[in-house]
């Protein structure tokens, strides 16, 4: 169950009643200028530790990105605390009731250079000067406009299994790369086109929209709350759904089905499939799409080489792994010349 932030008193009451003694898991982010992230971090830690909050929170000069869980009975206290911080008042919260309490075991609040690893070195633009936020209804209208350029700000392995109809889906491995590609493609249309962006939960577009405004784009829009929130609004309000396929997510599910369309293919046999997996060889761990029959045939591996390795004794595998940087996780997601059907 997913809930929206601007919870009315009634909605909040229902939510808490339903949760009982359970915990609520929630996530939120906000770009804001934080002068002293260390001080802010300590402030959060002291207050949240006392409220029995668990989770992983990043704080930086540019803002906060939080995934956490709160005992349901302390949610009101938690919400009041957020509302007491000027840039977190009424921040959009994605909330779910968590029956499996293993999602977070500790409270970790870390100071980072950035709240999202975006590869940008540009401290000259204001990340809080963002594009116009649109909800699902407005988004649906907007993307029918012939002057709109709709851009998927996610990476290739995400848009491969699902995206909005007619969206540009850059074939990129990183956010940084897509920023450059889009800017180059649209350099002559900074004023006459409307740039509309979306991503999984909104955080990347927030940064991208500020970046493009800084680069001279005049009409910049972003889908508020990303695909996650869009799907929720489409369902709750009975709107037309213009997204096809699955929304790639970064937890164990790897994808949330939005429509029954399967728009991608097994990277090993080419059959329609949109299930991501990681290669069973620890040293490889390649993220790729694998159908059920290939999973059996290939023992959940990406290649014959990896099958050989997983059959070695664990000690031998460990020895082979030594000194090999695990770069697949970062740079080679979903790319390998061994995958015949990865376009
Ligand atoms: Zn297959
Ligand atoms: Zn492999």
């Amino acid at each position: 169950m997913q809930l929206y932030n601007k919870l009315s008193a009634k909605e909040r009451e229902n939510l808490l009643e339903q949760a009982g003694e359970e915990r609520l898991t929630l996530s939120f982010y906000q770009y804001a200028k934080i002068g002293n992230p260390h001080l802010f971090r300590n402030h959060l830690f002291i207050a949240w530790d006392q409220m029995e909050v668990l989770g992983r929170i990043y704080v930086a000069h540019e803002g906060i990105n939080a995934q956490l869980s709160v005992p349901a009975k302390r949610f009101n206290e938690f919400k009041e605390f957020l509302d007491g911080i000027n840039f977190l008042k009424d921040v959009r919260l994605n909330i779910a009731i968590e029956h499996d309490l293993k999602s977070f075991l500790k409270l970790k609040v870390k100071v980072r250079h950035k709240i999202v690893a975006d590869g940008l070195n540009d401290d000259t633009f204001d990340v809080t000067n963002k594009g116009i936020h649109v909800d699902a209804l407005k988004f649906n209208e907007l993307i029918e406009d012939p002057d709109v350029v709709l851009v998927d700000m996610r990476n290739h392995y995400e848009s491969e299994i699902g995206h909005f109809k007619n969206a540009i889906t850059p074939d990129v491995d990183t956010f940084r790369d897509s920023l450059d590609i889009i800017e180059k493609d649209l350099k002559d249309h900074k004023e006459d086109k409307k740039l509309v962006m979306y991503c999984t939960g909104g955080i990347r577009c927030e940064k991208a929209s500020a970046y493009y405004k800084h680069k001279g784009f005049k009409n910049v829009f972003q889908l508020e709350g990303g695909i996650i929130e869009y799907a929720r609004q489409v369902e709750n309000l009975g709107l037309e759904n213009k997204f096809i396929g699955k929304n790639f997510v970064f937890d164990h599910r790897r994808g949330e089905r939005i429509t029954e369309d399967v728009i991608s293919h097994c990277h090993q046999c080419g059959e329609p499939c949109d299930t991501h997996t990681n290669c069973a060889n620890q040293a490889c761990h390649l993220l790729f799409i694998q159908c059920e029959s290939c999973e059996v045939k290939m023992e959940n591996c990406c290649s014959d080489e990896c099958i050989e390795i997983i059959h070695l004794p664990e000690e031998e595998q460990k020895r082979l792994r030594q000194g090999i940087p695990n770069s697949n996780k970062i740079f080679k997601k979903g790319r390998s010349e061994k995958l015949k059907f990865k376009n």
Side-chain angles (χ1 to χ4, degrees), residues 5-52:
N5 71 336
K6 279 145 196 159
L7 293 174
S8 66
K10 185 71 196 157
E11 280 174 306
R12 200 187 298 177
E13 197 183 300
N14 289 344
L15 174 69
L16 294 179
E17 192 173 308
Q18 201 187 332
E21 292 296 303
E22 305 277 359
R23 299 179 73 91
L24 301 173
T25 58
L26 52 111
S27 63
F28 68 89
Y29 67 84
Q30 184 70 282
Y31 285 102
K33 286 176 196 129
I34 299 175
N36 188 336
H38 289 275
L39 201 64
F40 184 58
R41 180 256 163 221
N42 292 345
H43 177 57
L44 296 180
F45 188 87
I46 292 165
W48 289 352
D49 188 44
Q50 187 264 326
M51 292 177 212
E52 300 169 75

Side-chain angles (χ1 to χ4, degrees), residues 174-237:
T174 69
F175 177 71
R176 172 77 257 208
D177 290 348
S178 62
L179 284 178
D180 292 342
I181 287 175
I182 303 296
E183 195 193 349
K184 202 165 139 256
D185 286 357
L186 297 178
K187 65 180 190 314
D188 297 326
H189 298 285
K190 290 185 177 183
E191 300 195 6
D192 61 337
K193 291 283 182 193
K194 292 175 186 156
L195 182 56
V196 182
M197 291 174 288
Y198 68 90
C199 61
T200 313
I203 190 166
R204 283 179 274 183
C205 290
E206 200 102 354
K207 176 66 72 77
S209 68
Y211 180 83
Y212 287 126
K213 282 175 80 174
H214 169 70
K215 292 284 180 180
F217 286 85
K218 294 287 179 251
N219 308 294
V220 182
F221 300 83
Q222 67 191 96
L223 178 58
E224 156 96 22
I227 300 159
I228 295 174
E229 180 57 24
Y230 178 87
R232 201 201 62 86
Q233 288 182 17
V234 160
E235 187 173 327
N236 288 2
L237 305 173

Side-chain angles (χ1 to χ4, degrees), residues 143-157:
I143 63 178
E144 296 301 319
D145 182 336
D147 285 331
V148 156
V149 180
L150 178 61
V151 181
D152 190 319
M153 290 309 299
R154 302 171 303 154
N155 299 329
H156 69 94
Y157 54 87

Side-chain angles (χ1 to χ4, degrees), residues 105-156:
L105 301 171
K106 281 185 184 167
L107 175 62
K108 288 185 191 169
V109 189
K110 293 186 174 171
V111 174
R112 285 272 175 101
H113 180 54
K114 301 268 182 128
I115 57 171
V116 184
D118 55 21
L120 286 174
N121 270 321
D122 194 338
D123 289 331
T124 61
F125 75 100
D126 179 357
V127 293
T128 63
N129 180 24
K130 53 204 177 193
I132 298 168
H133 282 207
V134 292
D135 61 13
L137 181 65
K138 185 84 211 323
F139 181 84
N140 278 353
E141 275 171 32
L142 194 60
I143 63 178
E144 296 301 319
D145 182 336
D147 285 331
V148 156
V149 180
L150 178 61
V151 181
D152 190 319
M153 290 309 299
R154 302 171 303 154
N155 299 329
H156 69 94

